[in-house]
Each structure stands twice: as structure tokens, then as C-alpha cells.
Amino acid sequence: MAAWRDVEEAAPDLAARVRALFDAGRHKTIATLRADGSPRISGIECELSGGELRFGSMTGARKLDDLRRDPRFALHGPTYHPEEGKEAEWPGEAKVAGRAVPAGPVEDGPDGVMFLADVTEVVVTSLDATATKLVVESWTPTRGLRRVERA
């Protein structure tokens, strides 16, 4: 299992950028898999705390059923469009994929289940300094850090 602390230790700059992008807005989007295998996206809040990426789901929520059946998820941070004429200043967007590991009941708020992320991939997509190339930086526990530029 790769916890968030593993990302911070292996790719500290990437982890810091993901944290900044996630902290830029409260609401994120999570993708889970329905019983028939089709994707479901839902709004969600999460936290990066104590070396863990945590998120919860209320009892009775479809995403809770999805995660209990198939723990794979993809979490997308808040999205901001590049400002015209200032594209090189766009901070990008962050994504984390993995498996949701049940970690007990939600302590604060409505009844639900808290999950810890077993991180399988972290990605930041941005633009280069001239805003002419798409830059995809990613990390996996098996491959490590990689940077790809696309024109």
C-alpha cells in the first residue's frame, strides 16, 4: 500500500504541487465504478493529513456502494481554466488514483465510512513556461516520477 507520505517522500515537489492544487478549492470530483462497470462521478471533499489522503462517504450513498464493491477510484482536484493571455501562469490540475481502504466510521458529520487512499498514481497536468506545450508529471509506486511534454 502506498500512502500519501510515500508520495511526499519519493516526489516531494510533485506532492507539494498536488497539495496546493487540492487546497485551492474545497470540492473535488471522484470517479468510482458502478456495478455494471460504467463510471460514476460524484462531488467529494478530502484531506491530506498525517501522511494520508482521506475521504468519506455517507451511508446510503451510491459511491459508498461502488467503493465497497470495487475500491478503485480517481480523484480530480478543483479545476481552473487558464486565463487568456496568462496561460503560462495557470497552475494546472491534479489527479490521484488508487484504491479506497475502509478506515472506520466518519467521526465528524453524518453517518458514513472514512477511507484512506492506497495511492497508485499521482498526476499534475500543466503548461510549460511558454504555454506552448502540455506538461504531464506523474508518479507511481512502481515507476516513480516521470515528466512528458506534448506540443
Side-chain angles (χ1 to χ4, degrees):
M1 180 168 159
W4 182 251
R5 75 177 51 82
D6 298 316
V7 181
E8 292 175 318
E9 290 171 8
D13 293 338
L14 182 67
R17 290 178 59 212
V18 170
R19 179 182 290 275
L21 288 164
F22 270 40
D23 287 349
R26 182 175 179 180
H27 299 284
K28 286 72 170 170
T29 303
I30 190 168
T32 57
L33 295 170
R34 299 171 190 251
D36 67 2
S38 63
R40 179 192 317 274
I41 60 170
S42 308
I44 197 165
E45 296 176 26
C46 69
E47 67 177 6
L48 293 164
S49 175
E52 299 287 356
L53 170 57
R54 305 172 193 270
F55 54 88
S57 182
M58 292 185 292
T59 301
R62 295 291 183 205
K63 71 182 154 212
L64 178 58
D65 293 339
D66 292 346
L67 292 170
R68 284 182 167 154
R69 184 178 47 261
D70 186 330
R72 293 177 293 170
F73 72 89
L75 182 64
H76 194 284
T79 301
Y80 305 95
H81 296 293
E83 189 176 331
E84 190 170 333
K86 297 182 179 181
E87 289 84 357
E89 296 175 18
W90 179 56
E93 57 186 34
K95 299 164 276 239
V96 176
R99 290 176 191 83
V101 178
V106 171
E107 294 177 11
D108 298 329
D111 289 339
V113 176
M114 184 62 64
F115 292 95
L116 300 179
D118 173 9
V119 179
T120 58
E121 184 178 41
V122 176
V123 177
V124 171
T125 305
S126 60
L127 298 172
D128 71 345
T130 61
T132 58
K133 294 180 183 173
L134 183 69
V135 178
V136 180
E137 296 171 272
S138 63
W139 177 89
T140 71
T142 55
R143 179 186 31 80
L145 188 61
R146 179 172 65 185
R147 178 185 169 100
V148 175
E149 292 187 8
R150 298 183 180 147

